[in-house]
Amino acid sequence: MRLALEEASRATTVGEVPIAAVLVQNDSVLASAHNLRESLQDPTAHAEMIVIRKAAEQLRSWRLTGTTLYVTLEPCPMCAGAIVQSRIARLVFGAWDPKAGACGSLFDIPTDRRLNHRADVVGGVLEQESQSLLQDFFRSKRQGTGVGHDRRA
């Protein structure tokens, strides 16, 4: 999770909301990324989606079994769906997202028994650090000192 927080900090330097993801398998980092929605003008360029694409390309498989995804903010419905579809075994996230979270807040997609795959989910890991990063970013935007454009959700 600390690696994800470091990656999220880098997002602010390019005007992105500080959300990041790191995918790990057997104690080895497969991929890491931060949001790139603003840079790419792509609504799907969430950190989780980028990491899943990178790891699938690296492993030459869409099945990311046996992996753990660390994310600084609770994934949205799109990203939660991608976690299920890619067969990620475990999700660990920092801050809860009561407005768009799909891993326990509004929905619980990764553990829904109706789906063909379920991931173990642990939320609130380094929650304060993750939350502070986001709050500081949006506070600086409101004060006119930030470079980002909108909140992910």
Side-chain angles (χ1 to χ4, degrees):
M1 183 58 81
R2 294 247 180 246
L3 290 175
L5 285 165
E6 289 172 22
E7 181 71 30
S9 292
R10 287 191 278 280
T12 60
T13 65
V14 294
E16 295 287 349
V17 176
I19 300 168
V22 176
L23 189 68
V24 175
Q25 185 177 52
N26 300 325
D27 296 325
S28 197
V29 174
L30 292 174
S32 65
H34 59 265
N35 272 18
L36 289 173
R37 283 192 337 169
E38 297 302 326
S39 301
L40 300 177
Q41 287 301 295
D42 178 354
T44 69
H46 291 192
E48 302 94 324
M49 300 297 286
I50 296 166
V51 161
I52 288 169
R53 285 185 195 115
K54 284 181 174 180
E57 183 177 333
Q58 180 183 336
L59 295 175
R60 296 178 181 237
S61 176
W62 61 267
R63 290 179 182 91
L64 304 178
T65 56
T67 60
T68 299
L69 181 64
Y70 295 89
V71 187
T72 57
L73 181 66
E74 179 183 3
C76 71
M78 173 183 66
C79 294
I83 290 165
V84 170
Q85 291 299 315
S86 61
R87 310 301 195 263
I88 290 171
R90 186 169 182 245
L91 166 67
V92 178
F93 67 86
W96 293 88
D97 187 352
K99 294 183 179 179
C103 300
S105 289
L106 293 178
F107 307 103
D108 203 356
I109 292 171
T111 62
D112 191 320
R113 294 193 177 277
R114 297 170 294 177
L115 299 174
N116 63 335
H117 173 76
R118 283 170 293 290
D120 293 327
V121 177
V122 178
V125 175
L126 298 180
E127 180 176 13
Q128 187 56 52
E129 291 91 331
S130 297
Q131 201 168 46
S132 291
L133 199 56
L134 287 163
Q135 289 170 339
D136 292 348
F137 175 79
F138 290 111
R139 186 177 304 111
S140 72
K141 277 188 52 53
R142 284 191 302 276
Q143 295 169 349
T145 59
V147 277
H149 297 285
D150 67 340
R151 186 176 191 311
R152 173 195 147 183

